[in-house]
């Protein structure tokens, strides 16, 4: 079976490819990535000599390129990770979020309709539900929670979700969607909270916490997200949405303090800065559906996962430095052009 993984040079996509090679070594992985600022070929280095892996540099919104690839490869499953993903960037420049997250999704699904597919899986986010209040800890997002987005990022992801469900209802496309909470782990681009704070703390730079640091995120170790996607795309019911999260809620301030403690750095590095506009207060997932139907449970506790993640960044300072210096973007030309 050939699985087309879009956005596989990014954080979760590259972890997912590693997961698939480990757990389903018989399946072939075809990775498509446009290599935007968030795409890093170094993340794919372990697979480049693997005969059951192929990388193609392409934009999912480029209809011609995507159709040509489907014509050639006829993938059995498509898993769409490719997206613009940073809320702060979407506040500054929403347009590319609409192009990739909405139009790109549509192009992929049109290709699936044209060439046939066993399953189209959309990797979505809990941010489509908006936020929860801080003072009602018993409230969680279920699959029935109304979509109520805050940022251009979450609005573009919610629009894509609606289009995915419309392609199922209108055209009978065999789709599924997972909506996951915040991920952390190896290979996360250092613009997101956890890797940003690790990389700055290592250099004794100030750690910019938005607002009061009271906002709550429900953190999931990336491998647990990968196992959930794998289960849903293979065994989940067609046309269904599954929430993914592990009851690991922490305030941003708690997360930052944990990182400082693990790195033996002083809390005086914390600096409270102007809040993000429209900043969502709390995300929290109820994973009862995926647990009940598919038996999924997260395996990694936050305290273990954050330690493993910090260890990975300490062991891979070069990876971090090449991103900060911008050198990672030359990697494709140097290592893989013409392959
Ligand atoms: P990321 O920003 O690390 O990676 C995104 C990847 O997509 C990059 O490799 C980039 O080059 C590629 N890409 C961007 N635009 C493209 C285009 N037009 N065509 C082809 N490739 C393109 O993102 P991530 O954190 O790995 O997130 C992956 C997916 O998971 C996204 O859809 C995101 O919405 C979703 N998600 C992320 C989280 C999280 O905490 N990171 C949580 C829930 C859901
Ligand atoms: P982020 O990693 O951008 O993920 P998301 O906004 O998709 O949840 O941010 C996680 C939380 O950390 C969010 O509440 C915003 C906050 N944050 C900071 O306080 N400082 C920062 O420098 C960043 C990037 C995020």
């Amino acid at each position: 079976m050939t699985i087309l993984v879009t956005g596989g040079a990014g954080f979760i996509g590259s972890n997912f490819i590693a997961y698939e090679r480990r757990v389903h070594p018989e399946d072939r992985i075809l990775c498509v990535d446009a290599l935007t600022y968030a795409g890093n070929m170094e993340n794919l280095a372990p697979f480049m000599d693997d005969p059951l892996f192929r990388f193609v540099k392409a934009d999912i919104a480029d209809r011609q390129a995507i159709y040509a690839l489907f014509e050639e490869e006829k993938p059995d499953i498509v898993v769409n990770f490719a997206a613009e993903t940073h809320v702060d960037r979407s506040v500054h420049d929403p347009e590319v979020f609409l192009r990739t997250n909405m139009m790109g999704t549509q192009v992929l699904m049109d290709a699936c309709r044209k060439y046939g597919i066993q399953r189209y899986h959309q990797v979505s986010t809990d941010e489509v539900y908006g936020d929860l209040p801080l003072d009602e800890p018993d409230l969680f997002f279920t699959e029935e929670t109304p979509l109520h987005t805050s940022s251009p990022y979450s609005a573009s992801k919610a629009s894509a979700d609606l289009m995915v469900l419309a392609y199922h209802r209108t055209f009978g496309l065999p789709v599924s969607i997972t909506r996951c909470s915040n991920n952390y782990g190896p290979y996360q681009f250092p613009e997101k909270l956890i890797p940003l704070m690790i990389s700055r703390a290592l250099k004794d730079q100030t750690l910019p916490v938005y607002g009061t640091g009271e906002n709550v995120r429900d953190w999931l170790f990336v491998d647990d997200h990968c196992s959930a996607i794998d289960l849903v795309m293979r065994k989940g019911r067609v046309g269904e949405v599954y929430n993914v999260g592990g009851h690991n809620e922490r305030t941003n301030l708690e997360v930052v303090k944990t990182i400082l403690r693990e790195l033996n750095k002083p809390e005086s590095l914390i600096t409270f800065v102007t809040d993000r506009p429209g900043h969502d207060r709390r995300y929290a997932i109820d994973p009862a559906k995926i647990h009940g139907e598919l038996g999924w449970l997260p395996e990694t506790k936050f305290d273990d996962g954050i330690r493993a993640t910090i260890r990975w960044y300490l062991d891979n300072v070069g990876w971090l430095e090449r991103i900060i210096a911008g050198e990672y973007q030359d990697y494709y030309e140097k290592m893989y052009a013409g392959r």
Side-chain angles (χ1 to χ4, degrees), residues 71-282:
E71 174 90 50
E72 183 191 347
E73 289 276 358
K74 306 253 178 1
D76 301 287
I77 296 181
V78 172
V79 195
N80 183 23
F81 291 91
E84 288 294 330
T85 61
H86 196 205
V87 173
D88 292 331
R89 285 181 190 256
S90 82
V91 173
H92 290 289
D93 181 14
E95 193 162 326
V96 66
F97 285 73
L98 271 63
R99 184 174 184 280
T100 292
N101 301 3
M102 295 163 54
M103 306 300 289
T105 297
Q106 190 217 350
V107 167
L108 284 173
M109 290 194 299
D110 283 343
C112 291
R113 285 186 64 207
K114 190 169 158 68
Y115 296 98
I117 197 83
Q118 275 178 35
R119 180 66 65 96
Y120 173 87
H121 183 78
Q122 179 75 358
V123 181
S124 187
T125 163
D126 62 354
E127 300 192 28
V128 299
Y129 299 121
D131 64 352
L132 296 164
L134 291 175
D135 57 359
E136 289 184 73
D138 294 338
L139 278 185
F140 296 94
F141 296 136
T142 73
E143 290 78 4
E144 275 69 51
T145 301
L147 303 187
H148 189 81
T149 56
S150 311
S151 69
Y153 164 65
S154 55
S156 68
K157 292 294 289 185
S159 309
D161 282 13
L162 291 173
M163 195 59 92
V164 171
L165 295 174
Y167 268 54
H168 172 62
R169 167 91 189 234
T170 306
F171 305 120
L173 196 71
V175 306
S176 46
I177 298 176
T178 41
R179 294 184 179 143
C180 189
S181 59
N182 286 62
N183 284 212
Y184 67 100
Y187 296 109
Q188 188 166 28
F189 198 81
E191 64 184 351
K192 305 281 166 57
L193 180 74
I194 289 179
L196 180 77
M197 296 300 165
I198 296 172
S199 96
R200 290 185 67 88
L202 284 175
K203 294 182 173 161
D204 297 308
Q205 291 170 334
T206 55
L207 308 190
V209 172
Y210 298 163
T212 58
E214 282 169 322
N215 304 59
V216 171
R217 297 294 183 262
D218 185 359
W219 294 98
L220 188 71
F221 192 61
V222 63
D223 260 11
D224 285 325
H225 187 188
C226 293
S227 69
I229 293 169
D230 180 69
L231 262 182
V232 171
M233 77 181 194
R234 291 171 192 269
K235 298 189 182 140
R237 283 187 293 141
V238 163
E240 292 291 318
V241 173
Y242 294 86
N243 284 353
V244 183
H247 289 302
N248 265 317
E249 289 178 54
R250 296 284 187 286
T251 67
N252 293 339
L253 204 51
E254 282 169 338
V255 171
V256 172
K257 284 183 178 174
T258 303
I259 292 170
L260 286 171
R261 215 174 30 250
E262 291 292 326
L263 289 174
N264 247 323
K265 299 284 182 181
E267 287 188 8
S268 55
L269 289 177
I270 295 172
T271 317
F272 293 95
V273 299
T274 310
D275 210 353
R276 169 188 282 173
H279 197 171
D280 281 337
R281 292 162 295 174
R282 169 174 171 251

